[in-house]
DNA sequence: AAGTGGTCTAGACCACACG
DNA sequence: GTGTGGTCTAGACCACTTT
């Protein structure tokens, strides 16, 4: 484990556990240098990341203060799996695999920007997510078979991100996501129980690995009345 | 100007101008060290920021490659003003000031998390944004009078962010934004021309300065059929 | 073996806040 | 003046990719 990652997690745990509450100051960089026996740049790397992720505010001349925010939802801009979001929010949800089959082509409207490889073969997976016994999201995944040749049904029923990272050792790195509001179609009506034409939040994304290989295309269709998103954003200059 | 900021902008200009196109490699860190006569950590700071912002991908052992993406839209997670987004996208838009008055209280439903200061006095500003001659957004701003005591009507008609930063010397730093989909109300109907009950994208945000002072609360109401958002997201660990 | 990016160090100087 | 965070340096070692 890298040292700065370790410090990041340590401090984040302390914030989440309430050891440091909003408005309080964290120990200064110098104190943390002594506590962890590392150089200051290493401490700074951890603290700057915490600030960037919206947990703390660095105040020049004063110190590092804990920000006031309950993370009710996890932002789109954080690339977490549905499962991870649910676990962090202490939400119980179930997961129906509606379809799983190999050797499918990726639909045109899902090819966001790049992906000129027209001969890309993928595993098509359709899942429905239920929260509180209520269907809220339908996911359509197209997983690149050049990267994942076979997806077991058990993995699809659990967390595919977890399967990719822990069982296959893939390193998921980044995604590009497009969000629009669209009228519900026949499938939304059947799967989510919403009226045809009622609003649905559609997020189309393209996920890549650290070596830049394309892992998957996904279309997530959310009931608009159950959708909520929280973003923390920092200004660049 | 800090050195790493300078390198960031230089390289970003080269990417945007097409000097380096998607799939191409940027010069290696070592080359940039020589070019700019700085230490490697300084070059890295610039490059890591470019990677974080989704412009390039750092490939260990290989180099830094330019990613393939036309920034059609600017993500919610970037804290830019409406004006800035329009300028970057080469979109022409107009701006109607519908209301401007001091000494208003901030409505309860806009006080996202913190802001317990119930005696907070603010300047209330309502604006309508038109793109292509069509009304697409209504903004309700409540600007903290303890920070900005008076907002000239001319500044409201132009860009308030620009006024805050350049005329008042304030340093805008971060915001917390909540997004939901809600049915259009009477004001949406009148201002945006949409049917009552039709979907509206509502973004409520709270903006802070670098010294952590609260600058403003904003409620932006977008026509859902004109709304689109693109996010670039990186996975943490 | 040579080149790439990732981490880490020990030290320096700066700008800012607070007594 | 002391303490805080922000920038920068010159060097080191590592893991990875390519030749």
């Amino acid at each position: 484990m890298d040292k700065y990652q370790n410090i990041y997690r340590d401090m984040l745990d302390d914030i989440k556990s309430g050891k440091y509450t909003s408005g309080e100051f964290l120990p200064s960089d110098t104190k943390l240098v002594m506590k962890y026996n590392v150089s200051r740049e290493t401490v700074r790397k951890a603290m700057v990341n915490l600030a960037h992720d919206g947990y703390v505010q660095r105040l020049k001349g004063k110190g590092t203060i804990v920000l006031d925010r309950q993370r009710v939802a996890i932002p789109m801009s954080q690339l977490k799996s549905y499962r991870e979001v649910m676990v962090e929010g202490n939400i119980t949800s179930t997961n129906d695999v509606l379809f799983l089959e190999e050797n499918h082509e990726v639909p045109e409207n899902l090819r966001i920007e790049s992906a000129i490889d027209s001969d890309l073969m993928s595993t098509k997976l359709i899942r429905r997510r239920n929260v509180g016994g209520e269907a809220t999201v339908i996911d359509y995944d197209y997983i690149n078979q050049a990267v994942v040749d076979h997806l077991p049904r058990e993995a699809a029923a659990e967390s595919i991100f977890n399967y990719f990272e822990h069982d296959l050792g893939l390193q998921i790195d980044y995604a590009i996501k497009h969000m629009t509001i669209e009228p519900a179609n026949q499938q939304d009506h059947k799967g989510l129980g919403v009226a045809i034409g009622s609003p649905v939040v559609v997020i189309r994304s393209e996920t890549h690995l650290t070596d830049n290989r394309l892992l998957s295309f996904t279309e997530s269709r959310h009931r608009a009345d159950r959708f909520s998103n929280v973003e923390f954003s920092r200004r660049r200059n």
Side-chain angles (χ1 to χ4, degrees), chain A residues 2 4 61 74 78 94 99 138-139 141 160 169 189 205 211 216:
Chain A
D2 293 328
Y4 79 95
I74 278 77
Q78 272 218 2
T94 59
F99 185 88
I138 303 179
D139 275 356
D141 292 291
I160 58 173
H189 169 60
S205 61
D211 61 10
S216 65

Side-chain angles (χ1 to χ4, degrees), chain A residues 38-201:
Chain A
V38 295
S39 75
R40 196 175 149 232
E41 284 290 2
T42 300
V43 165
R44 288 197 78 258
K45 207 145 147 188
M47 302 306 278
V48 165
N49 283 342
L50 281 172
H52 189 277
D53 294 346
Y55 295 107
V56 302
Q57 179 76 347
R58 304 270 284 175
L59 300 173
K60 198 188 293 191
K62 299 182 78 171
T64 303
I65 198 171
V66 178
L67 288 181
D68 182 19
R69 48 196 299 254
Q70 312 91 302
R71 288 220 162 211
V72 277
I74 278 77
M76 251 181 61
S77 58
Q78 272 218 2
L79 188 42
K80 299 221 176 190
S81 71
Y82 188 83
R83 172 63 53 105
E84 288 164 340
V85 172
M86 294 299 115
V87 168
E88 290 195 25
N90 276 320
I91 300 167
T92 51
S93 71
T94 59
N95 198 340
D96 303 326
V97 175
L98 304 182
F99 185 88
L100 175 60
E101 197 174 270
E102 289 169 8
N103 299 316
H104 277 262
E105 288 209 359
V106 179
E108 271 308 317
N109 68 334
L110 258 183
R111 302 175 172 237
I112 302 185
E113 342 219 338
S114 52
I116 327 283
D117 318 16
S118 55
D119 54 348
L120 184 95
M121 274 299 115
S122 64
T123 302
K124 180 176 180 181
L125 168 63
I126 307 181
R127 288 176 298 176
R128 184 173 51 191
R129 273 67 197 268
N130 313 290
V131 177
E134 193 178 57
T136 54
V137 188
I138 303 179
D139 275 356
Y140 301 81
D141 292 291
Y142 293 84
I143 300 144
N144 188 353
Q145 288 178 207
V147 176
V148 179
D149 56 353
H150 175 68
L151 179 69
R153 201 176 180 92
E154 310 82 67
E158 295 295 316
S159 166
I160 58 173
F161 265 39
N162 186 66
Y163 175 70
F164 295 153
E165 289 189 325
H166 293 96
D167 294 342
L168 300 186
L170 299 175
Q171 291 183 291
I172 296 167
D173 190 19
Y174 70 94
I176 301 169
K177 305 183 185 185
H178 286 227
M179 177 198 289
T180 54
I181 317 297
E182 301 180 13
N185 57 30
Q186 183 68 37
Q187 283 72 37
D188 299 328
H189 169 60
K190 287 203 300 198
L192 300 175
V194 298
I196 290 182
S198 68
V200 171
V201 177

